[in-house]
Amino acid sequence: MLQPSITGIFIFLTAALLAWPLGKYMAGVYKGEQYWLSHLERVENFFYKICRIDPATEMNWKQYLVSLLAINFIWLLFGVVILLFQGHLFLNPAHNPSMEWSLAINSAISFLTSTNVQHYSGETGATYLSQLAVFTFLQFLSAATSLAAGIALVRGLMHKSRECLGNFYRDFVRSLTRILLPLSIVAATLFLFSGMPMTFTGPQTVHTLQNDTIQVATGPVAAMIPIKELGSNGGGFFGANDAHPFENPDFFSFIIHCIIVLLIPIAFVVCIGYYINEKRFGRMIFIVMAIGLLLVTIPIIMQEVKGSPAISAMGVPNTSGNMEGKEVRFGSFYSAYYSGINMAIPAGTITGMHDSYMPLSGVYMLVGMHIDAFFGGLGSGWINMFFYLIVATFIASLMVGRSPEFFGKKIDSREMQLVVAVSVSQMFIPLLFTAIACVVYLHYPGGNGTLNWLSNKGPHGFTTMLYEYVSCFAGNGSEFSGLGNNTIFWNLTTAIVMLLGRYIPIVVAIMIGGFLLHKKYIPPTSGSLRTDSYTFGGFLLMTILVLNALSLFSVYILGPISEHFMF
């Protein structure tokens, strides 16, 4: 246990150390400072000219938001069309069929929103063209969109009052050309050295020692996996995701997976401190997020390493922990460690099937996804943390008899109403759709025998459906594999939840950023609430935990907690 723990600490510290210069560099990129990649501006200007975009034009929050939504909508249509006709297009050596319409809509929305829930298996459900031109491309687009939205909100905290949040197209393109693409090239090179395939040949025919003949799928894997992790996306090239030896060939690749999935979310926190010149605030946020990550990850590891009490009660040695559904190369500790990280980030990549984890592990997975602010996904994790910051600032200010202020900008009823609306939607929408699914499941003629939704009934079945919607709303994409979700009902309902979970926080964040930007800056006094202090950081962490415990504890009792007491 000691050696895996040291390895886990090493992985996190390595990611944090690499994130410090990267975060400083990211701040310079968005400020327009000159770096060695600034020569790419000529390439960027070429594309601006083709698209008739003036990157120097500043946008108010409405223009910024319209541009963001418009470019996302255009590429959504592109993705759906390709998936609907992929079976008739090129780069299809396995002769995979086109996607059914509801699955095509679900899959395109899934990758557009950085959720990457997959109701198909990559080996048989997608062609090489779809993997690259749709899924890989949309993972770049979604990551760049998140970074642009996050930095727009950061600009709203600037001391100087101004009218504009920047230019969305400039932020978007620079996120791609100067951050995501260079890092992806480096990561892809490392993955290639570890043995990850990069080929356009069709499935390989292999004759086994048992004299069986099987088809082994390969493909341009190394082109997709880097942005899957760097962009907090999580969409796998294969159905088994990172448990597949082609996506995760060895322990070296496992370490790279862990580091790069943490890298940009941590770096963005550093970027905030440098961009607004509030490094103490950045350190405080980093510490709160790191503690939150530990509070999610450690209990999952403890549950999985301890193993199933039912197996121990039978007198069967359980020293390896809960190995059901785990990749044997990584065992219970590293599978649980990887799960904890990817629930908090939330990339949602897996090295084991969450359906087979211990019940209480499911509680912490749900908590990590629901909070989605312990580093979280690229700019979106910062956006969710910002909402908690506003709530904590409002409560703390009332406790000390001060009017709520955040970085010298007054927080009034308009901002609080928007933040509360987001907080309520984060709880209400997944629960509403879970309730609808339960009603359909119970009252549909023939029930589960006709629908074939659940492989496990009772509390575990309830958790399975709840997890699907929480994961979709949080942009995580992982799932309990015991759910038969490639149906019109699940494809369409989860698509709606993914859209709401993605764009409600982004829309509100950009609105609030625009409102704060216009407000007059009030210099701090000796009586001002210090929102960059470690005392406030402790209060912020408690606010996050209490709000989420009060809102969803009763639901957890119906699902994973009840299942735990059935052992």
Side-chain angles (χ1 to χ4, degrees), residues 103-171:
L103 179 60
I105 292 173
N106 177 277
S107 300
I109 289 175
S110 177
F111 280 80
L112 177 78
T113 59
S114 191
T115 308
N116 294 190
V117 64
Q118 294 174 276
H119 291 178
Y120 66 93
S121 182
E123 294 91 331
T124 58
T127 66
Y128 292 171
L129 177 66
S130 298
Q131 296 277 31
L132 295 177
V134 179
F135 299 142
T136 302
F137 171 74
L138 289 181
Q139 288 186 96
F140 273 102
L141 182 140
S142 63
T145 299
S146 296
L147 287 172
I151 204 65
L153 177 58
V154 172
R155 291 193 183 108
L157 304 180
M158 300 294 289
H159 292 173
K160 184 178 179 180
S161 298
R162 41 188 295 196
E163 293 295 323
C164 301
L165 286 175
N167 183 290
F168 167 74
Y169 299 109
R170 184 175 64 228
D171 294 336

Side-chain angles (χ1 to χ4, degrees), residues 237-317:
F237 195 96
F238 302 101
N241 210 282
D242 279 356
H244 197 291
F246 287 169
E247 285 199 31
N248 205 352
D250 53 28
F251 195 70
F252 172 75
S253 67
F254 174 82
I255 292 175
I256 299 301
H257 274 284
C258 292
I259 290 174
I260 64 176
V261 81
L262 288 165
L263 184 61
I264 300 183
I266 298 177
F268 197 88
V269 177
V270 179
C271 171
I272 295 169
Y274 277 100
Y275 195 95
I276 62 177
N277 198 26
E278 293 286 350
K279 299 180 184 64
R280 180 181 173 89
F281 174 75
R283 288 193 294 269
M284 183 272 290
I285 293 295
F286 170 80
I287 292 173
V288 171
M289 289 182 171
I291 293 174
L293 180 65
L294 290 175
L295 292 177
V296 170
T297 304
I298 291 177
I300 298 176
I301 294 174
M302 292 175 63
Q303 287 294 310
E304 300 309 309
V305 169
K306 183 172 65 174
S308 173
I311 294 178
S312 299
M314 293 188 293
V316 178

Side-chain angles (χ1 to χ4, degrees), residues 14 26 36 129 175 253 261 265 310 314 388-389 399 403-404 431 451:
T14 302
M26 289 170 63
W36 65 278
L129 177 66
S175 298
S253 67
V261 81
M314 293 188 293
Y388 288 119
L389 279 163
M399 291 173 67
S403 59
L431 295 183
L451 295 171

Side-chain angles (χ1 to χ4, degrees), residues 40-51 53 55 173:
L40 291 174
E41 188 170 359
R42 293 182 180 179
V43 179
E44 296 166 356
N45 288 336
F46 172 74
F47 288 105
Y48 291 141
K49 185 176 181 180
I50 292 176
C51 299
I53 293 172
V173 171

